[in-house]
Amino acid sequence: MNAKNDYELYHDESIIEGYWHGMLLVPCERKAYLLNLLDAARTTVSHPYKISFKEINRPGKKYDLANAWLSLVLGFMRSQSKSIKYHYFTGRSTGAEPDYQLLDEQAIGVKFVLFREREKHVDMLNYPDETSKVETSFRIGLKGGLHYLFSSRDPVRITRIHFDGYLHQGRHIDRQRVVDRLNGLRDYCEIATTPDLIDDRASDPRSKDAQDYADCQLLQLTDLLIGSFRAAFGFYSNEAQWKLAKYAHWLIHKYAEGPARMRNSRWNHTFCMSQCYLEQGSWQFETIELLEKTQASQPSLLV
């Protein structure tokens, strides 16, 4: 087995039509490069404030920044460049023409896990609080995502796990429920045992108890990713959100073409989508790709 590659994990959630976990996995050796380009787009758009997908409802600075970031992270989500050029939106437009920049071939390796608990945890009984249900479904999604996205040829070690603020959860994340109960991990997956593994401070750098600025940016990027995927499946609130779903919808379309096509893709094993639900006390799993055929083609507008 090859040496494990260090990754940091960024988590956010959405509770529209299910409980959606989004987990952005950033290779430590690419983190600074990705952040530099995210900051460049933020400067270009002139929007220094926290950005969230649910707050985007019309063209403007928030939309342009989200468009630039989603375009950029799609390029970083390549597993390999295959010497095929990839251009990302910089956030700048000249007249009606958007400005695109060539992305370096080394901008690869970012991965994303989308995991949905279909029934919003309502069937999960005998848990001490709602957050413990979130922690449990997160753990299930994390294990499946790591097993699918990595392998003995591409092993992984998670060095930090960032959650988007403990205040809205009502308490700090329980490391025992999230990590210590993570049994059955395959040999090519490892979670660090450092005391500071979990950071659940706020994602807004202006907050008194905020995470480091760089980590706040990546948590906000995770928010945009999960929102754009959810919108691509038809769960969105306005036309601006639907337009921003184009990157996720493109990936979903490639995923729906099947494993044989994905093996030849630059985005092979860089994202996974699945959902779970309880049936007679047992967890059932299915891929969210099934939703694409019934909902993304005829999206519903949430009002």
Side-chain angles (χ1 to χ4, degrees):
M1 184 169 63
N2 295 330
K4 290 185 173 71
N5 299 306
D6 289 344
Y7 277 75
E8 292 191 44
L9 185 151
Y10 297 84
H11 173 271
D12 199 10
E13 72 283 326
S14 173
I15 55 174
I16 296 176
E17 299 295 329
Y19 197 100
W20 305 72
H21 294 275
M23 307 175 206
L24 179 67
L25 292 151
V26 179
C28 294
E29 65 177 1
R30 302 279 194 271
K31 180 179 176 180
Y33 184 22
L34 173 59
L35 283 164
N36 285 339
L37 295 179
L38 294 176
D39 275 342
R42 189 181 279 282
T43 300
T44 297
V45 175
S46 298
H47 185 75
Y49 310 108
K50 180 180 178 179
I51 187 170
S52 177
F53 194 84
K54 65 183 179 183
E55 297 175 355
I56 300 171
N57 54 23
R58 61 182 182 274
K61 290 184 177 181
K62 292 179 181 178
Y63 178 90
D64 289 341
L65 182 58
N67 195 13
W69 277 20
L70 290 170
S71 172
L72 183 60
V73 76
L74 178 64
F76 269 85
M77 284 174 63
R78 295 172 297 172
S79 55
Q80 54 185 327
S81 68
K82 291 192 171 184
S83 299
I84 301 174
K85 294 181 179 179
Y86 180 90
H87 295 82
Y88 67 94
F89 175 52
T90 64
R92 179 185 296 109
S93 296
T94 304
E97 294 298 321
D99 179 47
Y100 288 91
Q101 184 77 32
L102 178 65
L103 190 61
D104 191 286
E105 290 188 358
Q106 299 305 310
I108 58 175
V110 171
K111 300 176 186 287
F112 185 66
V113 177
L114 183 70
F115 187 66
R116 178 188 186 220
E117 206 291 319
R118 196 181 69 182
E119 307 302 330
K120 290 188 179 180
H121 304 126
V122 296
D123 297 323
M124 296 175 66
L125 307 177
N126 302 317
Y127 284 79
D129 56 20
E130 287 299 314
T131 300
S132 63
K133 299 178 183 180
V134 173
E135 292 164 339
T136 298
S137 58
F138 165 82
R139 186 179 72 241
I140 295 171
L142 173 61
K143 180 179 178 180
L146 293 180
H147 285 177
Y148 178 80
L149 294 175
F150 297 93
S151 66
S152 58
R153 289 177 296 178
D154 183 26
V156 60
R157 175 172 49 239
I158 304 298
T159 60
R160 296 294 303 278
I161 301 177
H162 303 266
F163 288 89
D164 182 18
Y166 67 89
L167 290 177
H168 71 282
Q169 297 288 1
R171 61 167 172 79
H172 286 288
I173 295 296
D174 183 350
R175 177 174 176 146
Q176 181 185 42
R177 191 178 296 276
V178 168
V179 178
D180 296 348
R181 298 185 187 181
L182 190 58
N183 300 317
L185 270 185
R186 294 174 183 167
D187 291 343
Y188 56 79
C189 304
E190 179 184 342
I191 309 293
T193 58
T194 51
D196 62 347
L197 172 68
I198 294 176
D199 191 342
D200 60 2
R201 293 174 295 166
S203 63
D204 188 341
R206 298 174 300 173
S207 299
K208 184 177 180 180
D209 188 29
Q211 299 190 33
D212 292 345
Y213 177 82
D215 297 318
C216 287
Q217 305 313 296
L218 292 171
L219 282 168
Q220 292 172 42
L221 176 59
T222 308
D223 175 289
L224 295 178
L225 271 170
I226 191 172
S228 65
F229 268 90
R230 192 196 68 230
F233 284 122
F235 306 120
Y236 66 101
S237 300
N238 54 69
E239 185 179 0
Q241 292 181 355
W242 172 243
K243 288 181 177 179
L244 288 173
K246 60 186 176 182
Y247 304 105
H249 197 272
W250 184 82
L251 284 174
I252 292 169
H253 178 72
K254 292 188 73 66
Y255 190 83
E257 291 178 345
R261 294 292 296 272
M262 280 302 297
R263 277 194 293 270
N264 296 318
S265 169
R266 288 176 287 167
W267 285 268
N268 185 34
H269 281 99
T270 62
F271 69 102
C272 62
M273 306 175 293
S274 60
Q275 66 179 5
C276 69
Y277 59 94
L278 275 171
E279 185 174 81
Q280 297 181 346
S282 297
W283 286 108
Q284 307 296 320
F285 299 91
E286 59 188 16
T287 57
I288 313 181
E289 68 176 311
L290 299 176
L291 300 178
E292 197 268 347
K293 299 175 183 177
T294 58
Q295 292 173 337
S297 57
Q298 295 180 329
S300 58
L301 186 64
L302 300 176
V303 293

